[in-house]
Amino acid sequence: MSGIHPFRVLRAKPLWIANGVITGVLALLFTVFYVGANVDPVDHMKNLPVGLVNADKGAAVGGKQVNLGARITESIKKSTASGGKIDWKVMDEKEVKEEIGKGKLYGALVVPADFTSATTALTGTATAGAPTRPTLTVLTNQSAGSVGSSLARTATTQAAESASLQVGKELTSQGGTGQAKLPAAARVLLADPVAVTVEDGHPLDSHSGLGLTAFYYSLVLVVCGMLSANVISGQVDHALGYTHNDMGPLRLHRPLIRATRVQTLAIGSTLMAGLSLLMGSLVMAGAVGLMGMHASHLPLLWLYSVCAIAVSGIGALTLLAVFGTPGMLVVTLVFIGMAVPTANATTPLQALPGFYRFLAEFEPLRQITGGIRSILYYDAQADAGLTRGWVMMAVGLAAAALFGFGVTGWYDRRGLHRIPAESEPEKAAAPA
């Protein structure tokens, strides 16, 4: 036995430096990814898609056909007040319902069919006790993300309020001296005549987590794949005899079965594919059966869940096989650190800095969340994120296979075989 006390290793500067660099970099990166992405969504917002609908049928005023709705929507569309933060998409009521029902719009502003007639009638009914105010309707879409829906609601409400003041100026100028004869309350009404109502454009079930169950369910799938990869990697090494397996105070060791790096990755990937059937089933049973999460298309949800876990897990196994021990840090950054802020779940992509929008193009959590959101909220419509989810999972699986087996195959060809630590002294002591 060595007479050196184990705690003396704490005096070694390389131990402190190496661990300090790794943990410090991780702390900084997670801060940048999480806080940096969400520190100022309003300032970073660019081209947030919001619908703009003019259903106004107009009215005859003074022998002329007038359509105040057309004026309002045209004015909002041409306005530079939003500074490019809102992408106003002019469409009809049917189109806006379809786009909101696919999560492609974060909200909408709707001018109703009777807007002009109700507005012009104010000048004739203002002396009455209870004139009917024209309305503009703000539609929200919490299913597309709470922050995005909130940003869209703020923008549409501000646009509606500005439109009301503009219409009020026109009514007041048209009334001329006759406005002075109206009661004070009527004159105040004419100055700001429009009532703004807010409605949910795509109502969700109460067990949908206010539009966040898709994100959290997807996060569970990715975490299951990532953590299972770490477990499977260690257990495969133990089964092949390359590492010990500590079970409490017991240390178990199996006879060595020599395997190439390619074979080891193939064994782990096969295990992951098989166990993803179990994990996907339990995740869905836990979320839907035990916790009561609202969900439809259950067979599709199950299949998508299994595939998402399998692809995430095989991707993580690939990084572990290629990078070795540091691979778990890379896995954590790829599947959690960079993934959560760019998932397009809480903060919309349009409200993220450019670097994060770039990451979102290939980060796995964003792709998986889009597919789950389509299944849970949008009746599994293909163009609501489901097709992209399937395609990107296939691309991710292919990339993992090419990268993982390509690099590990190169390791094997170069003779960089895995040698158990306990065999090194024996090799060194062997006769020449």
Side-chain angles (χ1 to χ4, degrees), residues 1 14 101 137 141 224 293-294 309 318 347 391 409:
M1 294 180 62
T137 302
N141 188 12
C224 282
M293 183 186 79
H294 175 74
I309 292 175
T318 294
T347 303
V391 170

Side-chain angles (χ1 to χ4, degrees), residues 130-161:
T132 301
R133 297 183 69 183
T135 61
L136 291 175
T137 302
V138 170
L139 298 179
T140 60
N141 188 12
Q142 205 167 46
S143 67
S146 56
V147 174
S149 179
S150 177
L151 292 171
R153 175 175 176 170
T154 299
T156 49
T157 301
Q158 289 175 347
E161 291 172 349

Side-chain angles (χ1 to χ4, degrees), residues 70-376:
R71 294 185 194 176
I72 289 173
T73 53
E74 188 65 21
S75 175
I76 293 174
K77 180 69 176 177
K78 292 182 178 180
S79 174
T80 59
S82 62
K85 296 181 182 296
I86 302 296
D87 181 13
W88 295 104
K89 297 185 177 296
V90 179
M91 55 186 65
D92 59 33
E93 289 183 284
K94 181 181 178 181
E95 289 173 328
V96 87
K97 288 180 180 179
E98 290 176 351
E99 295 297 284
I100 286 179
K102 295 177 181 178
K104 295 185 177 181
L105 295 176
Y106 287 93
L109 178 61
V110 180
V111 183
D114 64 344
F115 183 77
T116 298
S117 59
T119 302
T120 55
L122 285 178
T123 55
T125 63
T127 55
T132 301
R133 297 183 69 183
T135 61
L136 291 175
T137 302
V138 170
L139 298 179
T140 60
N141 188 12
Q142 205 167 46
S143 67
S146 56
V147 174
S149 179
S150 177
L151 292 171
R153 175 175 176 170
T154 299
T156 49
T157 301
Q158 289 175 347
E161 291 172 349
S162 297
S164 178
L165 294 175
Q166 182 60 40
V167 170
K169 288 181 181 179
E170 293 186 19
L171 292 178
T172 302
S173 62
Q174 291 172 4
T177 58
Q179 299 292 337
K181 300 179 181 180
L182 296 176
R187 291 198 299 271
V188 171
L189 175 60
L190 288 177
D192 187 9
V194 180
V196 180
T197 62
V198 179
E199 298 178 5
D200 192 342
H202 187 71
L204 295 175
D205 186 90
S206 60
H207 288 182
S208 296
L210 300 177
L212 286 175
T213 49
F215 167 65
Y216 286 113
Y217 189 93
S218 302
L219 183 60
V220 168
L221 299 179
V222 171
V223 169
C224 282
M226 181 189 78
L227 295 181
S228 298
N230 191 44
V231 172
I232 288 172
S233 177
Q235 291 301 310
V236 168
D237 284 346
H238 170 62
L240 293 174
Y242 281 90
T243 61
H244 298 290
N245 191 13
D246 290 333
M247 302 292 291
L250 302 178
R251 168 163 287 192
L252 306 178
H253 186 66
R254 295 180 179 275
L256 177 64
I257 302 175
R258 295 196 177 275
T260 65
R261 294 178 182 271
V262 168
Q263 290 171 336
T264 303
L265 178 57
I267 293 170
S269 299
T270 302
L271 270 173
M272 178 61 71
L275 293 177
S276 65
L277 296 169
L278 170 65
M279 289 185 284
S281 301
L282 291 177
V283 168
M284 194 176 83
V288 179
L290 294 179
M291 306 312 298
M293 183 186 79
H294 175 74
S296 56
H297 304 281
L298 294 183
L300 177 60
L301 179 63
W302 175 82
L303 178 62
Y304 193 90
S305 301
V306 169
C307 292
I309 292 175
V311 172
S312 299
I314 292 173
L317 282 171
T318 294
L319 295 175
L320 291 170
V322 170
F323 295 106
T325 301
M328 195 59 200
L329 299 179
V330 179
V331 168
T332 303
L333 287 175
V334 171
F335 288 92
I336 299 296
M338 295 187 294
V340 172
T342 59
N344 196 31
T346 52
T347 303
L349 297 182
Q350 294 82 1
L352 294 176
F355 171 69
Y356 300 88
R357 289 198 294 269
F358 166 73
L359 290 179
E361 292 300 317
F362 55 85
E363 270 296 325
L365 184 56
R366 184 261 173 119
Q367 326 306 329
I368 293 171
T369 300
I372 294 294
R373 181 182 279 132
S374 174
I375 295 171
L376 294 184

